[in-house]
Amino acid sequence: MTRNCVIFDLDGTLADTSGDLIAAANACFDGMGNDVRLDPVADAAIAVRGARRMLTEGLTRSGRYDAALVEEWFPRFLDIYGDAIDVHTRMYDGAVAAVEALRVADYAVGICTNKPEALAQTLLQRLGVRDLFGSLIGADTGPTRKPDVAPYWAAVDVCGGRRTASLLVGDSDTDRNTALAAGVPCVLVTFSPDGQAVRALNPEAVIDHFDELQGAVGRLIGTP
């Protein structure tokens, strides 16, 4: 029997991963012999856009952008990041309690992220929260990634969710566009690097703290 379902993005939604992502990007720049640096605070919004975006930004700032260089260093970035994936990363305040409350209320919960699946698995295990989620669909789990709807539906299906009573909690235009493509509600968080700017995306709900999540979920897809 399927259940009402809440699917979460990971980076910038459940966890603040920007510090470790930027540290890995800067290590790549060191390896290139490039003295450019991304800032863990000022460039946090770039970090949650992924490795290629960070490498592109840094190389562009130094006047050395080369698409082939980005692709060459992308797998190296993944190795560097994977080796130090949880040095600075933390779950956002109230995230664990909010997920646990949804589970107690009998919602199905899962994750749909554009992080490679193996890295997402490792991170969640090290943070001690992997068992809270009935599904984890990453960027490379299937042939497409968000904002394509297929990964979202896979996350819903694997955790035993009901597609017609599901929603996506995220922090970016990628998450908003995924929800629009699926025809489901979207809840965006303001404690991510994009902050209050997510309101301009006109999601069905915006929350400033995870304490507000269950109320928003109940209004948008009902209770199990």
Side-chain angles (χ1 to χ4, degrees), residues 90-217:
R90 63 177 181 83
M91 297 289 283
Y92 282 111
D93 290 344
V96 172
V99 174
E100 289 176 336
L102 290 171
R103 285 165 50 91
V104 168
D106 204 33
Y107 289 93
V109 293
I111 292 175
C112 182
T113 175
N114 278 349
K115 197 182 211 73
E117 181 183 345
L119 288 177
Q121 292 276 12
T122 297
L123 178 59
L124 292 170
Q125 287 165 359
R126 291 191 183 178
L127 292 174
V129 298
R130 177 62 186 90
D131 290 345
L132 293 179
F133 302 95
S135 63
L136 172 56
I137 304 299
D140 54 355
T141 305
T144 60
R145 54 191 282 170
K146 295 183 298 184
D148 188 90
V149 297
Y152 174 77
W153 291 137
V156 172
D157 294 345
V158 170
C159 72
R162 182 180 302 116
R163 291 189 177 192
T164 55
S166 68
L167 63 75
L168 176 60
V169 182
D171 70 304
S172 69
D173 56 341
T174 298
D175 298 309
R176 178 60 175 144
N177 290 334
T178 302
L180 285 170
V184 302
C186 183
V187 178
L188 295 181
V189 304
T190 65
F191 41 80
S192 70
D194 283 342
Q196 297 291 335
V198 298
R199 295 182 183 276
L201 299 173
N202 296 313
E204 283 70 27
V206 174
I207 60 171
D208 298 317
H209 190 280
F210 269 115
D211 289 349
E212 305 166 32
L213 181 60
Q214 191 154 352
V217 168

Side-chain angles (χ1 to χ4, degrees), residues 60-71:
T60 299
R61 290 181 187 179
S62 65
R64 293 179 55 186
Y65 174 69
D66 181 330
L69 192 59
V70 171
E71 292 307 311

Side-chain angles (χ1 to χ4, degrees), residues 11-40:
D11 297 74
T13 300
L14 284 169
D16 180 358
T17 57
S18 57
D20 289 318
L21 289 166
I22 286 177
N26 287 339
C28 289
F29 298 137
D30 285 341
M32 298 175 193
N34 191 329
D35 61 3
V36 69
R37 288 291 178 273
L38 297 182
D39 183 87

